[in-house]
Amino acid sequence: MCVVCGCSNSTATVSDAETSKTAASSVSSASVQPVVHAHTGDLHFGAGAARVSVPGMSQERAIQIEADVLGANKAIAQENRAHFASHGVRAFNLVSSPGSGKTTLLCASIEALRKRAPGVPVAVIEGDQQTSFDADRIRATGAPAIQVNTGKGCHLDAPMVARAFAQLDLHAHHPDHAHDHEHAHTHDHTHGHEHSHDHGHSHDHSHSNDHGHPHHHGHSHDDASGAILFIENVGNLVCPAMWDLGEEAKVVILSVTEGEDKPLKYPDMFAAANLMLLNKVDLLPHLRFDVVKCIDYARRVNPAMRVLLVSAQTGQGMDAWLDWVLGVDA
Amino acid sequence: MHEVSLAGGILQVVEQARVRDPFERVILLRLEAGALSGVEIGALRFALEALSPGTILEGAQIEIIEKPGAAWCMKCSQSVAIFSRLDLCPHCESAQLQPTEGTDLRVADIRVV
């Protein structure tokens, strides 16, 4: 007799449950009180197992989750965004395929920014699977850089950027701020500026142990230009599109030695970016690269895409790019 | 390749659910992958199967429901169904589309014992 409903036809035994492959009829293997009706497949929730309270045995049940898989990353990215804002830092996430000239362009941008806006501190977070070659190249320009090696990973995520940002001290490189350092530490983190961290969050938050670090919360940001943080993502036109790092904008770099059809081949990345830098344009005379077509393709996946033609080698277009970075092009 | 990271994120979401509402293991995991979410469903399934041994997802049946995409067409001012980021408006063939639905990967629910 079925112990659930009392019908005489039941064969809902332990062996049935164990041999069944369907989710609906799999019950705890220790069960002597089947919770699944073997004939109708009806589920008798709350009918037995839990009430009988057999150790190590629980009832099958459904749990509604309705959670965005990237939700935890997005939450930390929002904290990064607030953190950057509180420090007057504008962060840009630079994405491209390997070999587009990101690092060369960054080095040239840092040099040009230093001449154009010497008071604006610039720092870089470098993402690569392995080596610190890129961070070494950035440091050679005099700008502070933190290398993040993702190991097997194909992209940076928000917690990596949170940790890397904690290692950087953008303010220390700003001569006007040197006198602020002493009182900066006496500030409570929750006043003096808008700084909306939520340290009570359930997920692992790397900021919580960073405050002993020379990391100056509580500065007054009297220079309107603030600081610039370039985050050079892992060279990859696919995965970094999905991970918000807390940046103000994604900048996708496409070099003219690549195909003009890349925006259509990798639409997610071009859809996620705000600005496309068409790099190495000094090589255009030697190539069959259709600039107009490339821009058309980019706007097809992202109607709002801004496009600038640049060459890190010759400096062409660098002024317009720096205008954009400094927010003076509007 | 990012599907491996996403599989890790899914495991994390399920583990958090277990903290709130304890259970022994998952027998059915139901996911919703939007058509515009950038998720390759076969790769995600493979990644989940590779990741699950030794976790609460071991042996779980995985159901991935594909959610269609939708976008707001700026030319005809209406919501239209799209299946990829390259699609044009089915009415006016404009590319001026702003995706509104089908951009997420979500854990819908789990069945547990």
Side-chain angles (χ1 to χ4, degrees), chain A residues 21-39:
Chain A
K21 288 281 183 279
T22 66
S25 62
S26 63
V27 296
S28 172
S29 59
S31 179
V32 289
Q33 298 269 357
V35 293
V36 181
H37 194 293
H39 294 280

Side-chain angles (χ1 to χ4, degrees), chain A:
Chain A
M1 190 181 78
C2 173
V3 293
V4 175
C5 67
C7 82
S8 58
N9 299 326
S10 176
T11 53
T13 62
V14 172
S15 63
D16 279 345
E18 282 179 344
T19 53
S20 171
K21 288 281 183 279
T22 66
S25 62
S26 63
V27 296
S28 172
S29 59
S31 179
V32 289
Q33 298 269 357
V35 293
V36 181
H37 194 293
H39 294 280
T40 64
D42 289 348
L43 302 175
H44 297 264
F45 288 112
R51 277 195 306 204
V52 181
S53 186
V54 177
M57 195 185 83
S58 57
Q59 277 178 277
E60 180 183 323
R61 67 189 195 279
I63 300 177
Q64 289 291 320
I65 296 187
E66 295 297 339
D68 183 350
V69 172
L70 288 167
N73 183 76
K74 282 177 189 163
I76 297 172
Q78 279 305 111
E79 289 169 13
N80 287 349
R81 198 162 272 124
H83 199 181
F84 297 151
S86 74
H87 284 275
V89 171
R90 302 183 62 210
F92 302 105
N93 181 0
L94 274 57
V95 293
S96 82
S97 51
S100 67
K102 278 194 301 300
T103 312
T104 304
L105 183 67
L106 258 185
C107 291
S109 304
I110 291 165
E111 306 277 8
L113 264 173
R114 186 174 294 135
K115 286 186 195 130
R116 163 110 177 243
V120 177
V122 182
V124 177
I125 295 171
E126 272 292 339
D128 284 296
Q129 278 200 311
Q130 296 294 343
T131 82
S132 62
F133 293 167
D134 283 0
D136 294 342
R137 286 174 65 189
I138 299 294
R139 289 187 196 115
T141 69
I146 299 293
Q147 180 78 47
V148 177
N149 285 143
T150 58
K152 300 280 186 289
C154 48
H155 55 269
L156 292 175
D157 61 28
M160 290 176 188
V161 168
R163 268 175 224 127
F165 185 62
Q167 302 294 320
L168 283 169
D169 188 348
L170 286 168
H171 301 86
H173 296 268
H174 194 313
D176 297 345
H177 280 165
H179 63 277
D180 285 340
H181 286 183
E182 200 178 343
H183 74 259
H185 292 282
T186 64
H187 273 251
D188 188 283
H189 193 133
T190 55
H191 67 74
H193 56 52
E194 298 203 3
H195 201 253
S196 56
H197 286 192
D198 181 1
H199 289 278
H201 242 273
S202 61
H203 55 252
D204 194 14
H205 190 309
S206 61
H207 291 159
S208 55
N209 58 2
D210 295 332
H211 291 159
H213 191 272
H215 192 179
H216 310 296
H217 294 259
H219 276 284
S220 59
H221 300 287
D222 38 7
D223 56 322
S225 47
I228 305 290
L229 174 64
F230 291 116
I231 304 167
E232 185 181 336
N233 219 313
V234 178
N236 176 345
L237 271 180
V238 184
C239 316
M242 303 176 68
W243 273 265
D244 183 4
L245 305 179
E247 71 272 4
E248 182 176 313
K250 281 190 180 71
V251 178
V252 63
I253 297 154
L254 176 60
S255 64
V256 297
T257 51
E258 306 171 60
E260 64 245 327
D261 52 1
K262 276 222 169 137
L264 297 188
K265 288 177 168 174
Y266 302 94
D268 291 324
M269 185 62 86
F270 288 84
N274 304 63
L275 171 70
M276 176 168 87
L277 293 179
L278 212 45
N279 192 23
K280 308 188 190 180
V281 290
D282 54 302
L283 296 176
L284 277 173
H286 311 286
L287 302 166
R288 279 186 218 149
F289 183 94
D290 189 332
V291 172
V292 173
K293 203 184 230 178
C294 181
I295 295 172
D296 277 354
Y297 287 155
R299 296 224 167 107
R300 184 163 161 191
V301 293
N302 183 348
M305 181 78 100
R306 295 208 49 190
V307 182
L308 294 172
L309 274 60
V310 297
S311 165
Q313 209 65 43
T314 65
Q316 183 186 337
M318 290 298 277
D319 282 338
W321 157 232
L322 295 190
D323 284 348
W324 188 89
V325 167
L326 294 168
V328 295
D329 63 331

Side-chain angles (χ1 to χ4, degrees), chain A residues 23 26 45 56 58-69 152 155 239 242-243 264 268 271 300-301 303, chain B residues 1-2 5-6 10 13 21-24 27 37-38 61 85-86 95-96 105-113:
Chain A
S26 63
F45 288 112
S58 57
Q59 277 178 277
E60 180 183 323
R61 67 189 195 279
I63 300 177
Q64 289 291 320
I65 296 187
E66 295 297 339
D68 183 350
V69 172
K152 300 280 186 289
H155 55 269
C239 316
M242 303 176 68
W243 273 265
L264 297 188
D268 291 324
R300 184 163 161 191
V301 293
Chain B
M1 193 170 163
H2 57 278
S5 303
L6 294 174
I10 290 165
V13 166
D21 185 355
F23 55 83
E24 199 174 307
I27 55 176
S37 66
Q61 187 190 336
R85 293 205 185 259
L86 302 183
Q96 306 270 309
L105 172 67
R106 301 173 68 78
V107 180
D109 54 34
I110 52 177
R111 192 164 283 282
V112 300
V113 288

